Amino acid sequence: LAKGARINQPNADALSLDESAISGGISLLGARLEGTLRLRGARVAGEVLLAEGTLINAPMGSAVVVAEATLGALRLSAATLHGQLDLTGATISGAVALESATLAASPLMLTALEASRLRAAQGLRLRDTTVAGQIRLDGAEIGDALVLLNLTVSPAPAAASAAALADPAGLLSLRGTRVADALRIRKLSLPAQAAVDLRGAQVGTLEDEGGAGWGRHARLRLDDFTYTRLAEPPRNKRAARRARLEFLLRQYPGGRPRAADFSGQPFTQLAQVLRATGHAEDADWFARARRRTRRAAGVSERPLGTWADNLVGFFFGDFYSPRRTLVTLALFLALGMGGLWAGNLQGTLRNAQADAEACWLTEELQTLAVADKHIPVPNAPAAWEMARMAVDLALPGIPLHWAERCEVADGALAWEWARRLYQWLGTALLLLAAAGLTGLFRRD
C-alpha cells in the first residue's frame, strides 16, 4: 500500500491477513488505515515494513496484530500506531526494528507494545521512539541484541497515571526475557516512580552506560536479573562504583532499602560478574556495599555477629579468593613454625628421645644479630621439619606422626594451651577454606 492509499473501517479490521501465507513481504509506505491490520498466525517469508509516515488508527483496540505469526523481519520506520502493537508469541527470523516510530495504547488498554514470548532471531531495536503505554517483553527470546536507545515511555493517555504506574508490570517489563548477546540501554526516559521490571531476565552483556542509561527516575526491579559481563565495569574508579551502586539501590523506593523489600541478590550477581571478569577489588567493594545496605535496611545480623563476618572476610576475602586463602594458610603455617622455634629456644620443647636436649640444637646454627643479641636462625632441614610439625599440629585428627620428635616439657601449661589453641584455629581455618573454595559455603 503506497502513499495515498486509504482504508476506512473504524473499530473493525481494515486489512485482515490472518493465517495467510505470503512468499514475499508486506509494505505500507505512507498508507493510512482506520482500523486494524491483522496478521495473526500468518506466514510471511519477507519483511513487514511500515514506513514513510504510515498511520494506523485503531483507538478502541489493537492497531497491528502479529500474534503467533512467522515473519522474515518487522520494521516500523517513521510510522504511527494509535492502538496496540501485538507481537505475542510471534517468531521472526530476522530483526525487529522500531525506529522513529510513535506508539500509543488505545483507551481500553494499558499496553502499547505487547511482545510477550516473542522470538526475534536477529535482535530487537527501539530507537528514537515514543511510546504512550506499557512495553511488555515478558518471556521473549532475543537472538542478538536488545537495544533501547533514546526511548521515551509514558503511561497510556486515557489511563490514569497512578493506575498505570501501580500496575505490577511497570511501564517497561522484561520479566523472564532472554537476550543472547547484549542489552543496550541509553537515554531511556520514564516518568518519576515508573518501574522497569527485570526480574528473571537473562542477558549476555549489560551495556547501560555504567548504570546511567536507565534514566533518572525509573525504579528497577532486579531480583534474579542475571548477566555474564558488564560493558563498562567500574575498574576501581570511585565515581563509576558510585554510579553502579546507585543502579542497585534503585530497586528500593527512593533509593532507601527497607527490611521488608531488601534483596541482596543483585549485589551478589554484580560482584560475581566483576570477579569472573578479573575485577576482584571492585567485586569486594560491592560485596561490602551489600552488607552495609543490609545493615541500613535493618535486616538482622548473622548469628556470629558483624565482627566475626569481618574477620572471615579479612582472611579469605568476600568470595573466598584462592590467593588470599593460600596466603592465610601460609601465614598460619609460619605462625606455627615460629611458635615451635620460640619454644625450642626457651627450652619448653624437649626432644622426645632425649629429655635433656632441646628439639633442635642451636650451637652450630647461624645467628641473627638483633639489639646486641645473637638469635639462632633455623637452617633448611630444621625449618622443613618445623613446617611438617606445624601441619601435624594443625590436623589433630589425622595421624601423620610428624610431631613426635618434640614434646612439651613438664610444667609448661601455657605452651600446652597455646598448642591446643593452634590446633583449634587450624581446624577452623582449614574447614572454612575447604568449604569456601568448593562452593559449599560463601561469605556473602
Side-chain angles (χ1 to χ4, degrees):
L1 301 178
K3 185 176 181 179
R6 299 287 187 271
I7 300 179
N8 295 307
Q9 280 286 81
N11 304 322
D13 296 338
L15 178 59
S16 179
L17 298 171
D18 288 352
E19 305 292 339
S20 61
I22 300 175
S23 60
I26 300 175
S27 297
L28 276 69
L29 304 177
R32 182 186 181 97
L33 274 62
E34 294 289 338
T36 301
L37 170 62
R38 299 184 60 88
L39 292 165
R40 179 180 291 275
R43 298 181 301 280
V44 181
E47 180 183 56
V48 176
L49 172 63
L50 282 67
E52 299 182 13
T54 293
L55 171 64
I56 300 180
N57 185 27
M60 302 308 294
S62 297
V64 179
V65 179
V66 196
E68 310 298 336
T70 302
L71 310 180
L74 173 64
R75 181 157 62 96
L76 274 69
S77 179
T80 301
L81 304 183
H82 292 161
Q84 185 183 83
L85 171 58
D86 186 1
L87 302 176
T88 304
T91 300
I92 301 177
S93 58
V96 179
L98 282 67
E99 300 175 341
S100 302
T102 301
L103 279 65
S106 71
L108 301 180
M109 298 180 177
L110 292 177
T111 305
L113 173 58
E114 176 60 72
S116 299
R117 297 181 290 106
L118 169 70
R119 293 183 294 276
Q122 297 184 20
L124 170 61
R125 300 191 305 274
L126 279 76
R127 182 172 182 174
D128 301 322
T129 295
T130 300
V131 179
Q134 296 174 348
I135 298 176
R136 294 176 59 88
L137 298 171
D138 298 349
E141 297 183 12
I142 310 300
D144 192 2
L146 173 58
V147 180
L148 305 178
L149 174 59
N150 197 20
L151 175 64
T152 301
V153 186
S154 59
S161 297
L165 296 179
D167 186 83
L171 276 184
L172 175 59
S173 180
L174 304 176
R175 190 166 186 175
T177 301
R178 290 188 290 178
V179 182
D181 185 14
L183 171 58
R184 299 190 179 100
I185 306 289
R186 292 180 58 192
K187 299 181 180 179
L188 180 63
S189 178
L190 295 97
Q193 302 305 316
V196 178
D197 195 343
L198 296 167
R199 289 175 292 183
Q202 301 176 23
V203 175
T205 301
L206 178 58
E207 185 177 333
D208 60 351
E209 297 184 303
W214 300 93
R216 300 180 57 187
H217 306 294
R219 180 185 173 191
L220 306 177
R221 297 189 174 106
L222 300 174
D223 284 345
D224 297 322
F225 174 44
T226 59
Y227 42 94
T228 57
R229 65 183 298 268
L230 286 174
E232 308 93 357
R235 300 184 187 277
N236 302 332
K237 294 182 178 179
R238 180 178 298 180
R241 285 175 173 177
R242 291 293 179 185
R244 183 56 67 181
L245 178 61
E246 182 182 351
F247 161 80
L248 294 174
L249 292 177
R250 288 173 66 173
Q251 61 183 308
Y252 310 115
R256 297 180 178 86
R258 303 171 301 182
D261 55 13
F262 174 77
S263 174
Q265 184 273 336
F267 290 86
T268 303
Q269 164 67 21
L270 174 59
Q272 287 176 334
V273 168
L274 291 172
R275 185 168 298 280
T277 52
H279 302 282
E281 292 186 17
D282 290 319
D284 286 343
W285 191 90
F286 282 102
R288 291 191 295 270
R290 176 189 184 275
R291 290 192 295 277
R292 291 195 301 269
T293 305
R294 187 172 182 266
R295 289 193 291 266
V299 179
S300 59
E301 295 292 346
R302 303 181 185 193
L304 294 180
T306 304
W307 68 270
D309 189 56
N310 292 335
L311 183 65
V312 173
F314 176 79
F315 286 116
F316 297 104
D318 291 288
F319 286 86
Y320 281 86
S321 163
R323 178 181 60 83
R324 190 178 296 190
T325 300
L326 291 176
V327 170
T328 297
L329 296 178
L331 290 176
F332 177 72
L333 180 63
L335 175 65
M337 293 172 61
L340 290 171
W341 186 243
N344 181 72
L345 294 179
Q346 292 183 3
T348 306
L349 290 182
R350 294 292 184 179
N351 194 314
Q353 284 73 34
D355 293 339
E357 297 181 0
C359 278
W360 298 279
L361 299 178
T362 61
E363 287 79 2
E364 299 180 357
L365 297 182
Q366 183 181 356
T367 60
L368 180 66
V370 178
D372 297 331
K373 296 181 179 181
H374 294 276
I375 302 177
V377 178
N379 53 25
W384 171 244
E385 191 169 9
M386 280 187 287
R388 287 161 52 99
M389 290 181 62
V391 172
D392 194 3
L393 290 174
L395 301 171
I398 302 177
L400 298 177
H401 307 293
W402 289 349
E404 294 179 349
R405 172 190 175 97
C406 299
E407 60 183 13
V408 179
D410 295 338
L413 185 60
W415 277 96
E416 181 64 27
W417 278 105
R419 180 182 64 82
R420 293 182 180 180
L421 179 62
Y422 183 79
Q423 290 180 342
W424 295 337
L425 181 60
T427 302
L429 289 178
L430 289 172
L431 289 176
L432 284 173
L437 292 176
T438 57
L440 181 64
F441 175 76
R442 280 225 315 264
R443 180 179 173 229
D444 67 306

